């Protein structure tokens, strides 16, 4: 992902006088994540359905159940975040990773200003896009979630399984969430975000 093309748009989204210190294109890490906020919680599945849902998830991945998905994520990817429903990590995940009824792909951007941590979402992105498509996606970029920098206790980039570029952001309520970039992309923007959050 070309990081520089988003800087001007992020600059348009911040408050007057607010300065962008670092930004990175990223995605929430794969694995077990905090539950969604209470207002977006899915209905619980009975305990007897757990074994059958796990087996069905493995046999037919297009048919999913929440508990089966969570177990497959835990085994395949590990833990990508912790926190109670309604925690900072839960609200962030709910803002960025909601169900997408339109089926459109969107990029996630982290931005650190002198005041806040911003999580932005682009407009719909096409796999084989034209210049007009990219410009429209950029123009539709919006802030999906924001928190004062004081709400972040730490941020660090490190190894997780085979990926050496995973950013973990910890919040004052004890919750945390991880962000990654593909192996082939540079981890420098993630390290810049971590440094801006902790510096």
């Amino acid at each position: 992902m070309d990081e520089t093309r988003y800087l001007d748009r992020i600059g348009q989204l911040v408050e007057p006088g607010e300065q962008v210190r670092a930004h990175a294109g990223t995605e929430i890490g794969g694995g077990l994540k905090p539950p969604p906020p209470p207002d977006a919680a899915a209905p619980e599945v009975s305990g007897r359905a757990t074994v059958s849902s796990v087996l069905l998830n493995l046999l037919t991945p297009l048919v999913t159940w929440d508990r089966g998905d969570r177990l497959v994520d835990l085994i395949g990817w590990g833990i990508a975040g912790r926190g109670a429903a309604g925690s900072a990590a839960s609200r962030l995940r709910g803002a960025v990773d909601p169900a997408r009824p339109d089926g459109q792909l969107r990029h996630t951007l982290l931005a650190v200003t002198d005041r806040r941590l911003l999580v932005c979402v682009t407009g719909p992105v096409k796999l084989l896009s034209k210049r007009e498509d990219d410009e429209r996606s950029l123009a539709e970029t919006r802030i999906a979630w924001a928190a004062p920098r004081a709400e972040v206790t730490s941020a660090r980039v490190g190894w997780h399984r085979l990926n050496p570029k995973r950013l973990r952001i910890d919040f004052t309520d004890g919750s945390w969430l991880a962000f990654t970039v593909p192996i082939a992309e540079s981890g420098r923007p993630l390290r810049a975000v971590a440094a801006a959050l902790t510096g």
Side-chain angles (χ1 to χ4, degrees):
M1 181 186 307
D2 178 14
E3 302 290 337
T4 56
R5 67 186 174 129
Y6 292 110
L7 188 56
D8 288 338
R9 178 61 182 150
I10 294 169
Q12 295 169 359
L13 295 173
V14 298
E15 297 171 351
E18 192 173 13
Q19 297 178 355
V20 178
R21 303 277 191 221
H23 72 287
T26 184
E27 297 297 330
I28 293 178
L32 199 58
K33 301 172 187 71
D39 57 344
E44 282 294 315
V45 179
S46 69
R48 292 189 297 197
T50 303
V51 173
S52 60
S53 67
V54 170
L55 291 174
L56 194 55
N57 276 43
L58 293 173
L59 296 174
T60 54
L62 297 178
V63 178
T64 62
W65 277 272
D66 185 50
R67 288 188 186 200
D69 284 346
R70 289 177 65 81
L71 185 59
V72 169
D73 284 347
L74 178 62
I75 293 168
W77 298 101
I79 297 173
R82 287 200 191 273
S87 64
S90 168
R91 293 189 320 271
L92 193 164
R93 180 216 171 177
V96 175
D97 198 18
R100 293 187 176 116
D102 63 359
Q104 298 288 322
L105 173 67
R106 290 171 172 81
H107 291 302
T108 303
L109 309 168
L110 294 178
V112 180
T113 73
D114 53 350
R115 303 175 196 168
R116 302 180 290 167
L117 167 64
L118 305 175
V119 183
C120 302
V121 177
T122 68
V125 178
K126 294 183 179 179
L127 185 60
L128 299 173
S129 61
K130 299 177 184 171
R131 184 176 182 161
E132 302 84 41
D133 298 327
D134 292 341
E135 289 173 359
R136 185 177 19 232
S137 173
L138 182 61
E140 293 177 17
T141 299
R142 62 181 174 77
I143 297 174
W145 188 85
R149 286 187 52 184
E151 197 173 323
V152 176
T153 58
S154 69
R156 60 190 173 282
V157 176
W159 277 86
H160 177 71
R161 299 206 175 179
L162 297 176
N163 191 341
K165 298 170 281 193
R166 185 172 93 149
L167 170 65
R168 175 178 161 156
I169 301 176
D170 292 88
F171 299 97
T172 54
D173 62 5
S175 64
W176 63 272
L177 196 61
F179 294 86
T180 60
V181 294
I183 297 283
E185 291 187 19
S186 172
R188 188 176 303 133
L190 288 182
R191 288 190 290 275
V193 165
L197 282 171
T198 57

